[in-house]
Amino acid sequence: MSDWLGPEEWQAVALSLKVAFWAVAASLPIGILAAYALARWSFFGKGFLNIIIHLPLVLPPVVTGYLLLLSFGMQGGLGQTLQKMGIVFAFHWTGAALAAAIMAFPLLVRAVRLSLEAVDPKLEQAAATLGASKARVFVTVTLPLILPGILAGVVLAFAKAMGEFGATITFVSNIPGQTRTLPSAVYAFLQVPGGESSAIRLVIVSVIIACGALILSEVLARRVAQRVGKS
């Protein structure tokens, strides 16, 4: 593929993979916790938390990117505080990862939550009656049962992070080598004469990655269904 793609195109693909990886890696622990809270706990504000988690799915991505710019930009309160600590998001690849993580977070949480809701609570209760702590019950009983759901959520979130465009370009712009991800590169190539061939190659790469993610997600979803059917 390195021979088929030019240096600038390959750079965009590599940056997209990097952004998507860190977006999913950073949001996975929080996503599992959020999914567990929604599936297992009863608390005041649960409905509001559910709305906040799924809000990026219904908000225009540009709006999400603008809110990130207001919050984490150089002039934003959080942005200025983090900058003093040496953490920069605006117009940096870390900002692209943050935007991708927020846009992909609802898909991750939903997949894990559905998997948790499919687990019979009696299995967890049985382990608890044998003296296992809540943490041990989760690690030895719940986690193995929901692992296919977690993997499915990771795959979907990774694919979403790879394809994120609106929030990313609004928050971190489209800087070659720094914030130009695969979707941003396609957009940039389409704006210049003679860039159609490069755009088409990147579109093909995007389609291959998306199809692979969907196939893998479907396989994992079937495994979850089979496991639930046997239980």
Side-chain angles (χ1 to χ4, degrees), residues 14-15 21 25 28 38 62 64 70-71 76 79-80 92 95 104-105 109-110 118 127 136 146 159 194 199 202 220 222:
L15 181 60
F21 171 81
L28 181 58
L38 293 175
V62 174
T64 302
L70 290 178
S71 303
Q80 291 181 348
H92 195 263
F105 192 70
V109 172
R110 182 169 179 80
R136 185 173 179 81
I146 67 172
L202 290 179
L220 293 174
R222 289 181 180 178

Side-chain angles (χ1 to χ4, degrees), residues 35-207:
Y36 192 88
L38 293 175
R40 290 286 190 267
W41 298 344
S42 295
F43 54 92
F44 178 77
K46 182 177 179 179
F48 179 73
L49 175 62
N50 188 48
I51 291 174
I52 292 298
I53 288 175
H54 291 88
L55 197 58
L57 285 180
V58 294
L59 274 179
V62 174
V63 173
T64 302
Y66 182 62
L67 292 175
L68 286 172
L69 188 60
L70 290 178
S71 303
F72 293 93
M74 299 301 182
Q75 304 302 321
L78 286 174
Q80 291 181 348
T81 302
L82 292 173
Q83 188 176 9
K84 293 178 182 178
M85 301 169 58
I87 303 174
V88 178
F89 285 109
F91 308 109
H92 195 263
W93 77 265
T94 52
L98 175 62
I102 290 176
M103 296 301 296
F105 192 70
L107 298 177
L108 174 62
V109 172
R110 182 169 179 80
V112 178
R113 180 183 179 181
L114 290 175
S115 187
L116 276 165
E117 292 175 343
V119 174
D120 189 351
K122 293 181 181 179
L123 297 174
E124 298 169 320
Q125 294 169 6
T129 57
L130 296 176
S133 63
K134 290 184 178 180
R136 185 173 179 81
V137 169
F138 179 80
V139 172
T140 60
V141 178
T142 309
L143 188 59
L145 292 174
I146 67 172
L147 185 57
I150 292 176
L151 294 176
V154 166
V155 171
L156 289 175
F158 186 87
K160 175 63 176 177
M162 280 285 294
E164 173 50 37
F165 173 71
T168 301
I169 199 170
T170 304
F171 182 35
V172 297
S173 189
N174 190 3
I175 307 171
Q178 297 185 41
T179 63
R180 178 168 289 179
T181 57
L182 197 154
S184 301
V186 172
Y187 174 80
F189 283 128
L190 289 175
Q191 305 307 305
V192 298
E196 291 83 1
S197 59
S198 295
I200 290 174
R201 285 193 292 269
L202 290 179
V203 167
I204 293 173
V205 173
S206 299
V207 171

